[in-house]
Amino acid sequence: MPVAYPGDKQYSKWIYHNEIDLQMGLAYIFNLIVGTGALTLPAAFSRAGWLLAACVIVILAFISYVTVTFVVEAMASANAVLQRKRFQERNHAIQASGIEDDGHESEDTPLVCQGLVPLSFLALQFFSVCSNSVTEFCLIIDSSDHTRDQLVHQCDITEKIEMGQMASLFLSKGGRTLFYLCIIVYLYGDLSIYCAAVAQSIADVTCSYIPEDSTCNTTLPETALCWEGLQFTRKDAYRIFLGVFLTVIGPFAFFNVQKTKYLQILSSLMRWLAYIAKRNVSSFSVMTGYALREIIMQRNVQDVVYPPAASFTGIPALFGACVYSFMCHHSIPALVTPIADKSRLAWGFALDYIMITTFYLLLALTGVFAFFPNLHDLYTLDFWQPRGCIPRPGIPPPAIGYFLALFPVFTLSASFPVVAVTLRGNLEALILPPKPSPPAPNEADVSRLARKLLVPLIAVAPPGIVAFATEDLGTLVGVTGSFAGAGVQYVLPVVLVSAARKELLRLNNGEKVPKHRFSSPFSGKAWVAFVLVWSLACILIVSIRFAEQL
């Protein structure tokens, strides 16, 4: 089973082997959510209107929090189901070794008996021999009047179970296929956004020519020349840098980064650069500070243009940007599992979401009022001006301006290989037969060639083609977030938690499973229906709006 989601591996890989406290875990989650997706919010706010956008982002933040609690509950349920299966396997092993059994153990035995014993195989053998049968041992536990409490204890998060594993546990073959299709489409959109953002950032920083009929504060069209004296437009420069980016970073998709020495060295260098640039809160705070300075200095200017309060034509881009900015569900298993004290996990997530929503509002609203109507799709580009321009209060010194403008280049270049390899793994799981373990020397040449060359090429080529065709980052984020992003953030958590509850009910002989500490506060069926209807309605509205704009 491949890892189904990219996540932020520089965090998850480290913390999975180290137990951390709740505050540290929530800090990692905060930094994971507050990523480069937030850089598209100011432009989305300017298109949809600052008041309408502020209301929408608060609503979407709340629904995203609801689905995060669904993922956590599904994780706990998956742990319980796996414990039951392992106990059954041990029980069968005991029976096969010749230990006497009276035949009461079966699939119909309540879950509370099967999974209550968190003992090793030897300890279970010891108790079984002492009681002369496994069934007698179970009956001793059942007579203790703690059946429900023990079942609640079993629904714990002690093992990292990715969403792909949950899909294998709870969904049918058709459901798993749809699951992987949704993930693959989202990852394709993710890589397309990475390609466009990196190429656009480099092109805007390096292109120095400003037409005579333009000012330093206006957003130049893609048909404008990039360098004086050369017949290269800004779009040509964008495509050149896109090709360079894919040539340098694209080969990562063809190799196992962890097992290839030179790629690992290059990856480490990129990650150190990303670590320097990825002080998200610090970088965003710098941008917010300069934006506030711009707003203050504009108070005495007579011809200031203020953004609209509401414009429904900007809803598609806004919805996609908000969903994309709150995306963290794919990394929840890796980030939650190592937390030592999980008793206040729901409250911790609520605090994180309140802080992140406040942070996003501050970032977007200051950006809209400071730079409207000349906002770039990528907010970092609003803090950089070519040489020769008269400095504005909201524009930092050149050194800081270069750093902010190239901020997405470092972070996305480091994340691109991880996402590409993840996409490759999901494509293999969907279209190729399972890889033999250990690797079979007689594996068909066609299958080996497809696994090493064809699938990685399919993973990298389509995002590059999409980014080559359009540099409209707002549209890419809107489409990815509105469709595949909504599926990952809304639909999949609803499907997984509903299937997990149904599976626990079946394993417990139809008896309602009591709430446990990881049960979602929104456990009613009405909440599940609300999130599903809301997501489908939003997708429908966005589709209509996109169709009207074509």
Side-chain angles (χ1 to χ4, degrees):
M1 176 64 60
V3 178
Y5 307 94
D8 207 343
K9 301 297 181 183
Q10 62 262 42
Y11 299 137
S12 60
K13 184 178 178 182
W14 183 83
I15 66 175
Y16 182 63
H17 301 286
N18 299 269
E19 194 174 74
I20 58 176
D21 57 23
L22 179 62
Q23 291 78 9
M24 184 63 68
L26 295 177
Y28 283 126
I29 294 170
F30 181 96
N31 201 37
L32 172 66
I33 297 176
V34 182
T36 51
L39 298 177
T40 63
L41 286 176
F45 268 55
S46 69
R47 296 188 183 102
W50 63 270
L51 183 59
L52 176 62
C55 296
V56 169
I57 197 173
V58 171
I59 296 172
L60 293 181
F62 172 72
I63 297 178
S64 180
Y65 168 70
V66 171
T67 54
V68 161
T69 64
F70 287 169
V71 174
V72 173
E73 180 180 339
M75 283 178 59
S77 301
N79 271 267
V81 172
L82 286 179
Q83 283 187 38
R84 172 189 169 87
K85 289 186 175 181
R86 288 168 185 164
F87 185 87
Q88 286 181 329
E89 291 173 359
R90 292 171 182 173
N91 193 12
H92 293 326
I94 293 173
Q95 294 178 22
S97 66
I99 295 180
E100 205 174 308
D101 193 301
D102 59 5
H104 285 79
E105 173 62 32
S106 69
E107 183 71 15
D108 295 329
T109 306
L111 177 64
V112 291
C113 179
Q114 299 299 328
L116 290 178
V117 194
L119 301 174
S120 66
F121 178 78
L122 293 176
L124 183 58
Q125 279 188 320
F126 171 78
F127 280 109
S128 299
V129 171
C130 291
S131 62
N132 207 26
S133 79
V134 175
T135 305
E136 182 180 347
F137 177 60
C138 288
L139 290 175
I140 291 173
I141 292 182
D142 280 340
S143 64
S144 65
D145 232 6
H146 294 293
T147 298
R148 288 183 177 272
D149 292 340
Q150 290 165 337
L151 175 58
V152 170
H153 175 73
Q154 190 181 29
C155 291
D156 200 355
I157 299 178
T158 56
E159 180 180 348
K160 185 184 74 169
I161 301 177
E162 299 285 356
M163 290 179 72
Q165 293 174 274
M166 297 182 215
S168 299
L169 282 173
F170 301 135
L171 303 182
S172 63
K173 183 178 180 180
R176 292 194 297 271
T177 301
L178 293 175
F179 171 86
Y180 279 110
L181 284 174
C182 184
I183 294 299
I184 287 170
V185 172
Y186 173 75
L187 293 180
Y188 270 132
D190 218 13
L191 292 179
S192 301
I193 293 169
Y194 286 11
C195 291
V198 170
Q200 190 178 116
S201 297
I202 300 176
D204 278 29
V205 168
T206 56
C207 289
S208 56
Y209 177 71
I210 300 177
E212 294 181 358
D213 57 344
S214 300
T215 64
C216 294
N217 299 332
T218 58
T219 302
L220 298 177
E222 60 184 21
T223 56
L225 292 179
C226 183
W227 299 286
E228 188 173 5
L230 296 177
Q231 295 302 312
F232 282 99
T233 65
R234 299 177 74 89
K235 187 169 187 176
D236 294 333
Y238 164 83
R239 289 178 171 176
I240 291 172
F241 290 122
L242 174 62
V244 172
F245 173 75
L246 289 174
T247 302
V248 175
I249 305 297
F252 275 85
F254 291 81
F255 302 96
N256 187 329
V257 179
Q258 284 73 27
K259 294 182 180 179
T260 308
K261 181 176 67 173
Y262 297 108
L263 289 177
Q264 190 174 1
I265 293 173
L266 180 59
S267 178
S268 298
L269 292 175
M270 295 302 298
R271 288 192 178 280
W272 274 108
L273 290 174
Y275 178 78
I276 296 173
K278 200 169 185 177
R279 311 297 270 181
N280 290 338
V281 177
S282 299
S283 300
F284 291 172
S285 298
V286 170
M287 290 185 280
T288 302
Y290 277 103
L292 283 172
R293 183 181 175 186
E294 177 79 8
I295 294 171
I296 293 172
M297 297 301 292
Q298 287 179 354
R299 287 185 304 175
N300 298 324
V301 179
Q302 299 296 326
D303 57 346
V304 175
V305 180
Y306 292 101
S311 176
F312 289 94
T313 57
I315 284 294
L318 174 65
F319 181 74
C322 291
V323 171
Y324 194 71
S325 298
F326 284 111
M327 185 65 70
C328 69
H329 300 62
H330 45 67
S331 300
I332 291 299
L335 294 174
V336 165
T337 305
I339 296 177
D341 181 13
K342 303 181 181 72
S343 59
R344 296 173 295 167
L345 201 57
W347 288 104
F349 270 112
L351 179 61
D352 251 357
Y353 266 85
I354 291 172
M355 293 174 60
I356 291 167
T357 304
T358 304
F359 189 74
Y360 282 172
L361 286 171
L362 185 62
L363 178 77
L365 291 175
T366 54
V368 167
F369 282 97
F371 299 109
F372 184 83
N374 299 314
L375 276 159
H376 289 80
D377 287 334
L378 207 58
Y379 188 42
T380 49
L381 297 177
D382 292 309
F383 295 89
W384 182 86
Q385 282 185 330
R387 293 180 180 178
C389 293
I390 300 175
R392 293 167 50 192
I395 303 299
I400 299 177
Y402 273 108
F403 171 79
L404 293 177
L406 295 176
F407 172 82
V409 176
F410 300 123
T411 57
L412 299 183
S413 297
S415 299
F416 188 93
V418 178
V419 180
V421 171
T422 303
L423 175 57
R424 183 190 71 186
N426 284 276
L427 287 169
E428 288 180 3
L430 185 65
I431 63 179
L432 294 180
K435 189 175 182 179
S437 182
N442 58 347
E443 185 182 5
D445 292 337
V446 175
S447 177
R448 192 179 309 163
L449 181 66
R451 207 178 296 276
K452 290 186 176 181
L453 294 178
L454 182 60
V455 174
L457 185 63
I458 295 175
V460 174
I465 294 172
V466 172
F468 187 85
T470 177
E471 59 178 307
D472 189 348
L473 198 61
T475 299
L476 289 176
V477 172
V479 172
T480 301
S482 298
F483 297 103
V488 174
Q489 190 169 142
Y490 299 149
V491 179
L492 291 185
V494 166
V495 171
L496 288 177
V497 77
S498 299
R501 292 169 182 174
K502 185 177 180 181
E503 179 68 8
L504 285 185
L505 190 66
R506 185 188 70 82
L507 293 177
N508 204 36
N509 290 336
E511 296 183 9
K512 185 178 180 180
V513 180
K515 288 186 177 182
H516 49 83
R517 62 174 179 158
F518 296 109
S519 294
S520 171
F522 314 95
S523 57
K525 293 182 179 179
W527 282 106
V528 172
F530 167 73
V531 174
L532 189 60
V533 171
W534 166 267
S535 60
L536 296 177
C538 288
I539 292 173
L540 179 62
I541 293 173
V542 168
S543 300
I544 295 173
R545 288 292 182 184
F546 271 126
E548 291 176 349
Q549 294 174 9
L550 292 178

